[in-house]
Amino acid sequence: MNENLTLLIDEYISPQMAYHYVRSELEHNARGLLHNHDFYEMTLIERGQVLHEINGHEEILTTGDVVFIRPNDLHAMSAYDAVRTSIISLKFRCSTADHLVERYAKDLRDRFFWTKAEYPTRIYLQGAQFERAVNTCMTLENIQCTDLRIEHFLMTMMTFVLDDVARISQAAPSWLIRACDASQNPQVFIRGAAGFIEVAGRGHEHVSRQTRKYLGITPTQYTNRLRIQHSAMLLSKSTISVLQIAQQCGFENASYFHRLFKQQYGCTPAQYRRRHTIN
Amino acid sequence: MKVTTFKIEDYLDRGEAFHVARKGLETSYPTHAHNHDYFELFLVERGKTEHFINGKIEALKKGALVFIRPSDAHAFKASETEGCRIINIMFRKDTADHLNARYGAEWGERFFWLKDIFPDTYHLSGPRLERAINASSELQTSKRSLSRIEQFLLFFMTRVIDYSVSVPVGMPVWLRNACHNARSPEILREGAAGFVQVAGRGHEHVCRVMKVHMGVTPSIYMNKLRMEHAAMHLGSSDMSILEVSLECGIENLSHFYKLFREHYGNTPKQYRKYHRVDPVQPN
């Protein structure tokens, strides 16, 4: 193999800037160049499929994948098929990453950019969460590229947007981590806390206590969030009635559904649908 | 009113970084006002209340957002006819100290760091108020972690109140209006002269008062608005750089380049290349 190409942050931004943000299309028939970096990089696949060569291995990234690239990761990205492929890519200085993991060690250590695993962290987002991630990325457009903006952005992504899928710390018992993974499945989360406890395979009391300890919320709150997110996705992508959606997400009581929905999205399901329906 | 001191340890376990309380207020004052060994942000979600604060009584209504410092001594008395509901977010001193040490230079002496007898107060309405209430209710069900509260506070300071354009309470109304009106393209094209004109006061006076309240001159303020306007066009239109420069009222192209670079650290062309948004094609 040829000597590695190392990309330098100073080739992208001036010294007073804290990050570089770009939303771009990958060209077809152009093979990405294998490189590592003197910076960190977060990439979100907005549309299409990407062939990702990473540390000697190949993977296909699809719409909704977010990858947390560390400086030493040796990688290349190329468009994988003939459809339009667009990605959002964010590069930032090591000083930002170092600061965040030092200050928020308890929340971030060994996760996201700071995993010691061979391959970088990759998280798959769909439905409302994916929309939220893209919207959060767009807040970086047209503003001054300061430490405040990038650090706030990264904290938002890591503590808020990815809160539900990635919030569980690796220090949690493995049965709990597995239960969270399994609960991403609609078959499980529509059954609410009962579904969660069943996949956890432990006693009710114990599951509740550990969930509160490691996720900071109860199994009911956790599964309600997933159910409401799922309902939001159905509202924007389908024409099923609001009542049917509530039922499909396991809510028998429509007014309870409305209340939870409003708490999570700040508007009623009908308003949400009007705002998010794509012509 | 006598004052007692509330302690954060009564609300938080060790390892927890914040507490959210959403509550209806009583319609009579408590026996004591209180100050704190922590910081607090409160938002009036609905109704009206009297707010006793550092010896003064003020009326607050839906949308009032107040940045309370530890030493602020205060108490509430809800309106008897309408009642009052507030969202209260409390967090440790360490969080406030950290945010100010790391980012304070960007927002200056405002929010929790206002040097005034009375705390910094804003009035939110419409989508901003909605955004503030949503963000607070989501915080309520989140894990009480340090990263979450600091993320939340930065969100309030940069996105609910955009400190770079919002105007603190206590500023003369004419100056506040001028800041608001100056954002329209016809005015910002005129630069400092446009600002002075919408302010409707003498040039000298406008400069002096603006400097006191906002720490900048009209021309610096207007250049900032012009560059944001330019960036918006560069990122989302096909106008040539010359056209963008003229759109912002800058006829001297090299002056435009210089200002733009100062503001964004890039040339307009680089900026466009980096920030070009793909036209969204409906499926």
Side-chain angles (χ1 to χ4, degrees):
Chain A
M1 192 187 279
N2 296 333
E3 208 170 299
N4 293 340
L5 169 69
T6 300
L7 299 179
L8 306 176
I9 192 83
D10 288 328
E11 286 169 8
Y12 293 88
I13 53 178
S14 58
Q16 67 271 29
M17 293 166 79
Y19 66 90
H20 177 264
Y21 167 87
V22 62
R23 200 171 171 197
S24 64
E25 283 192 21
L26 290 182
E27 278 178 42
H28 292 285
N29 311 320
R31 187 86 176 176
L33 215 50
L34 211 54
H35 63 271
N36 57 18
H37 336 67
D38 74 343
F39 52 84
Y40 285 78
E41 186 171 6
M42 190 198 83
T43 302
L44 169 67
I45 314 300
E46 209 184 341
R47 166 202 280 254
Q49 293 196 316
V50 171
L51 173 67
H52 190 210
E53 300 173 64
I54 170 78
N55 301 338
H57 161 93
E58 284 189 356
E59 61 185 8
I60 306 296
L61 304 174
T62 61
T63 309
D65 271 322
V66 189
V67 193
F68 296 84
I69 311 278
R70 302 155 296 186
N72 288 330
D73 286 320
L74 185 63
H75 75 145
M77 288 189 177
S78 334
Y80 182 63
D81 55 20
V83 296
R84 233 157 60 90
T85 304
S86 48
I87 63 170
I88 291 175
S89 158
L90 179 73
K91 305 171 171 60
F92 58 94
R93 298 178 187 278
C94 291
S95 55
T96 283
D98 295 347
H99 164 70
L100 291 175
V101 77
E102 188 193 329
R103 171 117 189 123
Y104 309 110
K106 231 171 98 189
D107 307 326
L108 303 178
R109 198 191 298 136
D110 298 330
R111 305 173 67 197
F112 304 114
F113 294 106
W114 302 280
T115 168
K116 295 185 183 71
E118 186 179 358
Y119 299 107
T121 305
R122 170 178 162 188
I123 294 173
Y124 175 63
L125 299 175
Q126 55 182 335
Q129 246 173 343
F130 173 61
E131 267 174 44
R132 188 179 261 188
V134 172
N135 291 338
T136 306
C137 288
M138 298 205 310
T139 62
L140 289 175
E141 286 177 3
N142 300 335
I143 55 171
Q144 263 177 299
C145 303
T146 62
D147 286 336
L148 166 58
R149 299 292 180 164
I150 183 65
E151 291 174 12
H152 176 229
F153 168 82
L154 291 169
M155 287 160 75
T156 303
M157 287 296 286
M158 294 185 293
T159 68
F160 182 55
V161 177
L162 305 177
D163 208 22
D164 305 290
V165 270
R167 67 190 301 171
I168 184 143
S169 110
Q170 295 304 308
S174 58
W175 61 263
L176 183 58
I177 296 175
R178 277 198 306 275
C180 290
D181 282 344
S183 303
Q184 306 301 315
N185 181 344
Q187 306 276 353
V188 176
F189 66 66
I190 57 167
R191 298 179 45 231
F196 185 83
I197 288 161
E198 195 186 296
V199 292
R202 299 287 190 283
H204 187 130
E205 284 292 310
H206 185 58
V207 173
S208 295
R209 227 175 9 248
Q210 297 291 315
T211 308
R212 266 205 304 276
K213 177 168 172 196
Y214 288 100
L215 286 97
I217 53 179
T218 64
T220 306
Q221 287 172 321
Y222 183 72
T223 47
N224 278 347
R225 275 171 172 247
L226 296 174
R227 294 202 277 176
I228 295 295
Q229 272 168 17
H230 188 65
S231 74
M233 191 269 293
L234 293 174
L235 286 165
S236 66
K237 301 266 171 357
S238 76
T239 53
I240 316 170
S241 76
V242 174
L243 190 63
Q244 278 173 319
I245 287 177
Q247 282 166 352
Q248 275 196 22
C249 295
F251 294 102
E252 313 250 306
N253 178 337
S255 80
Y256 180 55
F257 169 69
H258 268 82
R259 201 170 71 228
L260 285 178
F261 193 92
K262 202 155 180 208
Q263 200 179 67
Q264 196 156 328
Y265 287 99
C267 61
T268 66
Q271 286 167 337
Y272 184 91
R273 171 166 266 169
R274 275 199 295 281
R275 284 185 208 164
H276 289 86
T277 304
I278 305 154
N279 307 343
Chain B
M1 231 184 263
K2 278 191 178 168
V3 177
T4 52
T5 301
F6 286 2
K7 303 239 182 311
I8 194 82
E9 302 305 334
D10 294 337
Y11 299 96
L12 299 184
D13 283 342
R14 271 197 14 224
E16 290 184 330
F18 67 92
H19 178 73
V20 181
R22 208 164 178 175
K23 61 191 176 193
L25 297 173
E26 302 288 334
T27 51
S28 58
Y29 277 117
T31 52
H32 290 71
H34 67 272
N35 58 19
H36 330 70
D37 72 349
Y38 54 88
F39 284 80
E40 170 181 320
L41 178 70
F42 76 82
L43 174 68
V44 179
E45 191 180 353
R46 133 164 29 124
K48 276 187 194 155
T49 184
E50 266 186 27
H51 186 216
F52 170 87
I53 171 79
N54 300 336
K56 166 182 104 169
I57 287 177
E58 62 184 4
L60 296 178
K61 60 177 202 279
K62 180 177 166 184
L65 176 68
V66 187
F67 292 82
I68 299 285
R69 302 152 295 188
S71 62
D72 287 320
H74 68 153
F76 296 94
K77 175 176 173 289
S79 148
E80 273 167 32
T81 51
E82 294 178 46
C84 184
R85 212 172 130 83
I86 64 167
I87 304 177
N88 198 331
I89 292 141
M90 24 188 134
F91 56 93
R92 299 176 195 276
K93 276 180 175 170
D94 164 65
T95 281
D97 292 347
H98 167 69
L99 293 177
N100 198 39
R102 187 149 179 98
Y103 311 112
E106 276 199 47
W107 57 61
E109 288 171 358
R110 66 184 72 193
F111 307 132
F112 298 109
W113 305 279
L114 184 71
K115 294 215 166 92
D116 191 84
I117 312 172
F118 299 108
D120 207 2
T121 302
Y122 295 82
H123 294 284
L124 306 179
S125 59
R128 276 183 202 274
L129 177 59
E130 230 181 81
R131 200 184 281 175
I133 293 176
N134 291 345
S136 309
S137 26
E138 287 190 296
L139 186 69
Q140 206 172 4
T141 55
S142 294
K143 190 171 177 176
R144 295 173 167 192
S145 67
L146 186 65
S147 56
R148 186 67 173 93
I149 183 64
E150 297 187 0
Q151 181 271 336
F152 172 86
L153 292 168
L154 292 178
F155 177 81
F156 257 71
M157 298 189 278
T158 62
R159 306 266 303 141
V160 173
I161 301 166
D162 183 350
Y163 67 86
S164 61
V165 295
S166 75
V167 168
V169 166
M171 209 159 105
V173 177
W174 62 264
L175 183 57
R176 181 189 314 213
N177 291 341
C179 289
H180 179 75
N181 295 332
R183 300 186 74 77
S184 80
E186 319 66 276
I187 306 299
L188 66 83
R189 254 174 241 143
E190 302 298 319
F195 189 88
V196 171
Q197 191 203 330
V198 291
R201 301 287 191 286
H203 186 112
E204 285 290 309
H205 183 64
V206 173
C207 290
R208 209 169 38 244
V209 177
M210 191 168 190
K211 191 98 194 173
V212 169
H213 287 278
M214 302 174 68
V216 292
T217 63
S219 111
I220 290 174
Y221 183 79
M222 292 306 274
N223 281 340
K224 183 173 159 63
L225 295 187
R226 285 162 141 183
M227 291 307 111
E228 283 170 9
H229 191 63
M232 190 266 291
H233 279 294
L234 288 168
S236 59
S237 80
D238 287 324
M239 285 163 84
S240 72
I241 291 171
L242 180 63
E243 283 169 329
V244 172
S245 170
L246 293 174
E247 166 66 26
C248 303
I250 300 175
E251 301 194 351
N252 179 339
L253 198 58
S254 76
H255 182 56
F256 175 71
Y257 273 97
K258 187 165 146 280
L259 282 177
F260 194 87
R261 200 179 236 295
E262 275 170 19
H263 202 79
Y264 286 101
N266 274 323
T267 66
K269 199 167 164 188
Q270 284 167 332
Y271 185 92
R272 168 164 272 172
K273 197 172 113 216
Y274 295 150
H275 293 254
R276 173 54 47 113
V277 180
D278 304 319
V280 178
Q281 295 189 343
N283 295 323

